[in-house]
Amino acid sequence: MNVLVIGGGGREHALCWALGRAPSVDNVHCAPGNAGIAGVAKCHPDVDPVDGDAVAELAHAVDADLVVVGPEAPLVAGVADTVRDVGISVFGPSSGAACIEGSKQFAKEIMTAAGVPTARYWSGDDPDAAVAALDGFEPPYVVKADGLAAGKGVHICAARAEAVTAIKETMVARRFGAAGTVVVVEEFLAGPEVSIFALCDGDDCRLLSPAQDFKRAFDGDMGPNTGGMGAWCPYPLDEATIAELEQTVFRPVLHELARRDLPYRGLLYGGLVLTDRGPQVLEFNARFGDPETQVVLPRLRTDLGLLLRACAEGRLADAPPVVWDGRACVTVVLASGGYPGEYRTGVTIDGLDAVSGDDQIVFHAGTEADGDRIRTAGGRVLAVSGLGRGVPDARTVAYAAADRVSFDDMHRREDIALHAGDG
Ligand code: AMP
Ligand code: GLY
């Protein structure tokens, strides 16, 4: 089959890489792609990933049997709907179903209706009522803009005054634009965070191996929130817990969405906190996580093309079983200095050719080719993944590979997966 992947980050590089190795896949295309993706797929840099008509036209032009939508923005914009309407199979939810990521209020409504364990919450569009609602919670207060705010709409506030400021900045000063029309105030959940991906076909689902990412910019979980600075897999959750999460979280959500005529065909990513009263859902995303995909897919032994196409066509039961490589995987993100704030781009990257071997993979996130050279073109530049017999081995392989790559102002965390397994 021919597959078209939409997006151009590290997650899409991992998707194109895994699809390229799948026996069922003949050709992989990617729009827009990046300098690393160009090594495993034919890139279409001029196609705008959020323009549904342009994506549908490209899908026809490359005779795609399957379109895989990577990032949330095209999903929320309805790109999957447009492509599905022209009769091409799509792995990625409709814009209505993608609201589970695009609106935190909607996500809470679905979870409540489906009886999914999640933080107690209040939501609404009146700033005074939001301030009053704080009295129903204990510090630390959690205040979230309802809509997509590029990962910046969540405030964890130690003091009430700080939470009031967060509400005013979000709802009155509109720091995140229309995303802050509604806010969600919720209970703080304490415990380790784990990311679980479910392949969904509208009705049925299969859970992938759990992973953990590192969201803060600096070692010791300090500094600002980022898209993710590294990840590791598998997070040690036992089979019984995973099976229970399938029954108590993922299946009820799929059924609730289907009941609302929003069948979910794509990747449902549950962000969970393992609290002392059991796992609780922090949020859902409508896509693969980045950089978790860069540690989950290198361990996948099953043909990814068959799995994603079966989901897209509502027949996951026909797909082969999901089989894992017994090794662990760790990825280290190499970022531009200053990220997630201001940073330089256009910096030449050295050492990419020095990474080789089937236990280490450099996934490109924000790169572009300039003749023979590869330059930085984003905040997160590369994700260097290593496989090893256990997490410490995988960590050693990933950091050794990352040591060979350099560019001016490069920043990485030194403690990715350092305490993996410590609980
Ligand atoms: P989000 O932008 O929704 O991914 O949230 C960013 C981060 O804020 C999450 O990864 C958590 O670390 C933290 N967070 C969000 N909501 C809560 C909560 N209710 N309790 C504790 N931490 C939270
Ligand atoms: N790694 C977090 C995310 O993809 O949202």
Side-chain angles (χ1 to χ4, degrees), residues 331-357:
T331 199
V332 180
V333 168
L334 306 186
S336 302
Y339 169 79
E342 305 243 312
Y343 53 82
R344 245 181 348 139
T345 57
V347 180
T348 300
I349 305 170
D350 294 312
L352 287 168
D353 292 339
V355 182
S356 62

Side-chain angles (χ1 to χ4, degrees), residues 117-293:
T118 185
R120 193 166 55 80
Y121 79 107
W122 175 94
S123 72
D125 63 1
D126 175 1
D128 294 331
V131 169
L134 291 173
D135 295 331
F137 297 87
E138 312 267 307
Y141 300 97
V142 182
V143 175
K144 301 181 169 184
D146 174 61
L148 293 179
K152 300 198 173 98
V154 176
H155 298 85
I156 315 276
C157 312
R160 192 176 186 282
E162 212 185 306
V164 172
T165 306
I167 289 171
K168 295 206 166 130
E169 287 210 340
T170 305
M171 303 184 88
V172 183
R174 290 299 176 97
R175 223 178 111 204
F176 314 107
T181 309
V182 165
V183 297
V184 171
V185 175
E186 70 179 16
E187 182 192 2
F188 180 82
L189 298 174
E193 282 181 46
V194 49
S195 305
I196 300 190
F197 297 167
L199 296 170
C200 303
D201 79 350
D203 175 43
D204 194 5
C205 68
R206 287 205 200 146
L207 269 49
L208 302 185
S209 195
Q212 186 172 54
D213 82 338
F214 291 73
K215 289 210 168 81
R216 302 294 198 100
F218 307 125
D219 286 16
D221 289 332
M222 305 297 278
N225 242 333
T226 70
M229 294 299 293
W232 60 284
C233 176
Y235 188 93
L237 279 185
D238 58 62
E239 288 297 323
T241 305
I242 296 175
E244 192 181 329
L245 288 170
E246 180 175 325
Q247 297 306 327
T248 57
V249 172
F250 291 93
R251 288 186 184 274
V253 165
L254 284 188
H255 293 157
E256 180 59 25
L257 287 168
R259 197 183 66 75
R260 296 181 185 218
D261 228 4
L262 296 169
Y264 194 100
R265 290 183 175 174
L267 197 288
L268 184 60
Y269 159 156
L272 290 98
V273 179
L274 307 175
T275 71
D276 51 18
R277 61 192 149 116
Q280 302 262 326
V281 177
L282 201 57
E283 60 174 358
F284 284 111
N285 293 314
R287 50 169 177 85
F288 281 92
D290 190 341
E292 292 97 317
T293 306

Side-chain angles (χ1 to χ4, degrees), residues 45-69:
D46 298 330
V47 173
D48 179 358
V50 295
D51 179 342
D53 292 328
V55 171
E57 201 177 304
L58 175 64
H60 269 308
V62 303
D63 203 14
D65 300 290
L66 174 68
V67 174
V68 178
V69 183

